[in-house]
Amino acid sequence: MSKELENKDLTNDKRVIIRTVNLKKEYAKKDVVTRALVGVDVEIYAKEFISIMGPSGSGKSTFFNMIGGLDSPSSGRVFIDEVDVAQLSAPELAFLRCRKIGYIFQSYNLIQYQTALENVTTPMAFAGVPTDDARKRGMELLDLVGLKERWFHRPIEMSGGQQQRVAIARSMANNPQILLCDEPTANLDHHTGQDILDILERVNAEKGVTIICATHDYRMMDMCDRLIWIRDGGVDRIASRDEVNIQLSNIEGEDA
């Protein structure tokens, strides 16, 4: 664990950056209604590192999509910096996603014909960043994630871990306040996955970015501030890292 994270004091910054109120999501197919979320009330503070955990089908990915503005709730509300996401127009929602939230996906979602640098600078183009400034920042971000020598490589020329590093750099292109990570270590070996976790930990501790990970990776317990367990579409419990009574050494590397 980094010293910066170990010494992080959230009591000095209790600004709620994400808040959900009675969040519900239903999917209907013919006469069958699936209740993915059944009324979720959660507050997440600025600069927190949050792990969202739960078994497959528990609703954690649906919750992740709701707070990221990637899907709309059937009812209930999502607030980001006290702005009701449901009340935003399509351009306003696009602006929110572009400027305030960065996304890291399990499958990387890189543009295959673009170089690493082009993948990282694409979000900046949408944000109107001048080309030279975008190129300079893209190189700095790739250097940050350890890919200084891979600026001009395409995804097919990189390992899975290197592609995920590019995805992390891309997620930070427009200086987001929030990073949403969907199973960021799921397709990686143990060592590479730990490297990715170390990068996320550093981004959170050094840059103050709020990080929210939907994950099965129990190593997250050793670095996050709080864990939110989702079960059967609702919050089963919320606990701080110190409250989790678990021996990580006994389960390290296991896939829940």
Side-chain angles (χ1 to χ4, degrees):
M1 185 187 305
S2 72
K3 193 168 185 62
E4 291 90 348
L5 183 63
E6 186 177 358
N7 292 337
K8 184 169 61 172
D9 183 5
L10 290 172
T11 61
N12 293 327
D13 190 348
K14 279 292 187 180
R15 177 171 64 91
V16 175
I17 195 167
I18 294 176
R19 179 165 60 95
T20 68
V21 179
N22 198 26
L23 197 62
K24 298 180 180 180
K25 182 66 178 181
E26 296 181 350
Y27 299 96
K29 186 175 182 180
K30 295 184 178 179
D31 295 331
V32 179
V33 176
T34 301
R35 294 177 174 84
L37 294 178
V38 295
V40 175
D41 297 284
V42 166
E43 288 187 346
I44 295 173
Y45 301 112
K47 302 181 182 180
E48 273 197 294
F49 194 130
I50 296 288
S51 289
I52 302 172
M53 308 190 83
S56 297
S58 63
K60 69 178 184 298
S61 293
T62 302
F63 177 64
F64 178 91
N65 290 337
M66 296 295 110
I67 61 178
L70 299 174
D71 198 359
S72 300
S74 301
S75 62
R77 304 168 82 180
V78 177
F79 295 90
I80 297 179
D81 268 345
E82 293 306 320
V83 173
D84 188 348
V85 175
Q87 302 303 314
L88 297 179
S89 65
E92 288 171 333
L93 184 57
F95 181 88
L96 177 79
R97 291 175 183 150
C98 182
R99 298 294 187 123
K100 194 176 287 283
I101 304 173
Y103 302 90
I104 302 171
F105 300 98
Q106 178 179 344
S107 56
Y108 320 136
N109 285 6
L110 300 179
I111 300 173
Q112 295 299 306
Y113 63 82
Q114 289 189 341
T115 65
L117 184 58
E118 288 169 338
N119 267 281
V120 174
T121 56
T122 293
M124 299 185 222
F126 286 111
V129 178
T131 301
D132 288 346
D133 292 344
R135 184 181 177 87
K136 179 181 178 182
R137 175 161 173 75
M139 289 178 173
E140 291 172 349
L141 288 170
L142 287 169
D143 189 15
L144 175 70
V145 299
L147 292 179
K148 187 174 182 178
E149 305 302 324
R150 296 278 180 169
W151 293 340
F152 304 114
H153 286 69
R154 289 178 169 79
I156 196 172
E157 300 171 303
M158 293 184 284
S159 67
Q162 289 169 337
Q163 291 184 62
Q164 192 64 300
R165 287 168 183 256
V166 175
I168 293 172
R170 180 187 58 188
S171 73
M172 297 175 60
N174 292 322
N175 293 308
Q177 296 181 34
I178 302 163
L179 281 188
L180 295 177
C181 314
D182 188 11
E183 300 283 4
T185 62
N187 294 329
L188 307 175
D189 62 64
H190 179 80
H191 177 75
T192 305
Q194 186 61 54
D195 288 343
I196 296 302
L197 294 180
D198 291 342
I199 293 171
L200 293 176
E201 179 184 28
R202 192 167 74 249
V203 167
N204 171 250
E206 296 177 3
K207 297 186 177 298
V209 177
T210 304
I211 294 183
I212 304 167
C213 287
T215 183
H216 284 93
D217 193 334
Y218 278 95
R219 288 173 295 182
M220 291 279 188
M221 289 183 173
D222 196 36
M223 62 179 58
C224 68
D225 298 301
R226 288 191 297 159
L227 297 100
I228 300 174
W229 274 274
I230 303 290
R231 185 178 297 275
D232 297 328
V235 175
D236 185 53
R237 66 180 175 127
I238 300 176
S240 70
R241 183 178 65 247
D242 293 339
E243 293 171 333
V244 177
N245 182 20
I246 188 166
Q247 294 296 321
L248 290 172
S249 59
N250 292 336
I251 63 170
E252 188 174 5
E254 290 186 8
D255 184 18

